Amino acid sequence: KQEVTQIPAALSVPEGENLVLNCSFTDSAIYNLQWFRQDPGKGLTSLLLIQSSQREQTSGRLNASLDKSSGRSTLYIAASQPGDSATYLCAVAGRTALIFGKGTTLSVSS
Amino acid sequence: DGGITQSPKYLFRKEGQNVTLSCEQNLNHDAMYWYRQDPGQGLRLIYYSQIVNDFQKGDIAEGYSVSREKKESFPLTVTSAQKNPTAFYLCASSSAGGPVNNEQFFGPGTRLTVL
């Protein structure tokens, strides 16, 4: 059964720092991997989708990489801002639905 | 303005009551999903539907029921058989074929509390 793990569970950084969030999965037979952002009490906002045939995707200050063979993905956030404070969730696509990690809660201080 | 709407935002249920959570999408998506989120936990799949008039159980379907009579609507009923229903409920949708090739989009959620 697919399991998704995100480390660390929480991260605090000063504004301007570059940072990396980690996501690992146990079964490399995935169709794609999606990164989401969740603000407190809100729904999920899709950040990046990486297809299984791709190695990385970029959107603005965000860059996500995927290494299927090692079961890992990273989300790189450049020049972090207080507005980046949120919980970041990764999810891998099985045939019928997404399987989620528990998330990393990021706090960026000004 | 395309998107997914969920109502109500907050819902309170008494013991023994059934309650229904609404989910509507105007993205013309074929697939729709219900997830449950508990504090400090990842999202867990309750039910999903790939097409109208068809739906499948997810990992934690016990105590829940759904219907899919229209493409744009996928209501979730939390029955009295669900012993611990207090949670944040999220509805999602994606294009035909489900998550295999398609990005999944989420609604704003409904927070259900049992009194």
Side-chain angles (χ1 to χ4, degrees), chain B residues 2-22:
Chain B
I4 303 173
T5 57
Q6 291 186 240
S7 62
K9 185 173 181 180
Y10 299 98
L11 185 58
F12 298 91
R13 193 193 92 167
K14 294 181 181 178
E15 295 281 351
Q17 264 186 341
N18 292 354
V19 292
T20 297
L21 284 60
S22 170

Side-chain angles (χ1 to χ4, degrees), chain A residues 1 31-32 34 36 38 40-49 51 89 93-103, chain B residues 9 33 35 37 40-43 45 48 50 59 88 90 97-109 111:
Chain A
K1 183 181 176 182
Y31 292 98
N32 60 58
Q34 203 167 345
F36 294 91
Q38 186 177 31
K42 306 292 186 183
L44 276 63
T45 299
S46 179
L47 297 174
L48 290 163
L49 170 69
Q51 298 291 354
L89 296 159
R95 194 172 59 85
T96 54
L98 295 176
I99 302 162
F100 283 83
K102 295 181 180 180
Chain B
K9 185 173 181 180
Y33 312 82
Y35 294 89
Q37 186 177 33
Q41 301 292 319
L43 278 69
L45 182 66
Y48 64 96
Q50 300 280 22
D59 298 324
F88 191 48
L90 289 156
V100 172
N101 289 310
N102 302 298
E103 195 172 0
Q104 201 160 115
F105 296 89
F106 282 77
R111 185 166 299 281

Side-chain angles (χ1 to χ4, degrees), chain B residues 58-110:
Chain B
D59 298 324
I60 55 166
E62 185 175 351
Y64 300 97
S65 65
V66 294
S67 63
R68 186 86 188 275
E69 297 176 359
K70 297 186 296 182
K71 185 176 183 177
E72 59 270 23
S73 179
F74 191 40
L76 173 74
T77 296
V78 184
T79 75
S80 57
Q82 170 49 239
K83 298 306 178 189
N84 185 24
T86 295
F88 191 48
Y89 291 85
L90 289 156
C91 178
S93 70
S94 65
S95 299
V100 172
N101 289 310
N102 302 298
E103 195 172 0
Q104 201 160 115
F105 296 89
F106 282 77
T110 292

